[in-house]
Each structure stands twice: as C-alpha cells, then as structure tokens.
Amino acid sequence: ADQVARFQNDYRSLTPAVAAAGGTIDDAKASGIRRNLVPYFAPTVDQASMQPWYLLAADKDVKPGASVPMSFRSGFEWVAQRPYLISENSNIEVTWLAMQNFGPEDQPRAVLAWVRADFELRTKTFSNLRSGTTTTGEALRQEVKQ
C-alpha cells in the first residue's frame, strides 16, 4: 500500500505539464509511473486506474525539482491507511487518502480524495478499486482528461 501511494505521489510532478496541456497527460512521461503500478494490481483492474487518482490544481505553479518526482513540493500527498480487519475471504480493505499538505496550522490537514481497494492475500494484488473526492478536494482539483 505504501509503494502504491509513493507511485501515485510521483504523478504530482506532472501537474505543471498537465495544466499547460489543458488537462491532458503526456503519456510518455506517465508511462514509467504506470509501469511501476501495474504489478500491484490484479489483471482485472481497469488500466485507467493506473492513471493519477488526484492532482491538485495549485501544483501547476510549483517549480519542478531536479527531474526527480520526490523533490516536487506538492500541496498534497497520498498516504496509505493501515487496515484493521481481514475479511472472511482473506482480503484486506486498504484506503489511501490524498491529504492536503498546507493549511491553517490550528486545523487538521484536509482530506481531498480517497481510494479504497481490496488486497487479496492469495495473489498479493489489489482489486475492486473505489474512489471519491471530498467537496474541498473537488474545488481544488486539477482536471485530467482520460
């Protein structure tokens, strides 16, 4: 789950280019990240699920780092939540949250979006992805065209 969050966070560095292209992702730039994500998901998972789950519009103004996605200072980050239960069919429901990095110091960080998936212990892959965006997250979202 942490690796998937890390790879989804790598997509953040593409935000300036996505904004400049009117919401279109440069497939050549995204293909390496997508390739890293594929082994974590069951073959039945739609390939569109390997695209960025959420991008923050304000990130379009962030100066790119030294061509290293991790050096991109985004206004949010994906974090994996630790599951508490294993279901009767040996699946674990995992949740990732897109958490706002900057905001009022006297308030908790806002959740902008979420994704849930079942981790299948037998195949060691994620399946059955479900996602959503909070009201705050929707207002701050960078449109991405599929």
Side-chain angles (χ1 to χ4, degrees):
D2 289 333
Q3 285 292 75
V4 170
R6 190 183 72 132
F7 292 134
Q8 279 292 329
N9 283 330
D10 286 350
Y11 276 125
R12 299 173 305 175
S13 66
L14 302 179
T15 307
V18 170
T24 303
I25 291 181
D26 181 339
D27 195 51
K29 291 180 180 177
S31 65
I33 299 169
R34 195 171 43 252
R35 240 187 336 269
N36 289 333
L37 282 164
V38 168
Y40 292 95
F41 293 90
T44 56
V45 173
D46 181 18
Q47 289 295 304
S49 299
M50 305 304 148
Q51 292 290 76
W53 292 338
Y54 182 86
L55 295 177
L56 185 65
D59 282 352
K60 72 181 178 5
D61 299 323
V62 174
K63 302 276 188 276
S67 297
V68 179
M70 294 175 297
S71 65
F72 186 81
R73 189 150 159 70
S74 177
F76 85 100
E77 68 179 325
W78 282 103
V79 294
Q81 300 296 293
R82 300 288 174 248
Y84 295 103
L85 302 172
I86 297 176
S87 69
E88 292 175 4
N89 61 0
S90 297
N91 287 348
I92 301 170
E93 185 178 70
V94 175
T95 302
W96 294 273
L97 300 176
M99 302 292 296
Q100 191 172 28
N101 279 335
F102 312 112
E105 290 188 25
D106 60 336
Q107 295 179 5
R109 296 189 315 165
V111 174
L112 303 174
W114 57 269
V115 175
R116 284 196 182 102
D118 296 327
F119 183 74
E120 299 175 11
L121 292 171
R122 184 180 50 77
T123 63
K124 298 195 181 338
T125 58
F126 292 101
S127 63
N128 193 27
L129 270 71
R130 289 115 32 223
S131 64
T133 308
T134 65
T135 302
T136 301
E138 192 59 38
L140 300 174
R141 178 182 214 142
Q142 167 66 53
E143 179 188 7
V144 177
K145 298 176 184 173
Q146 301 294 336

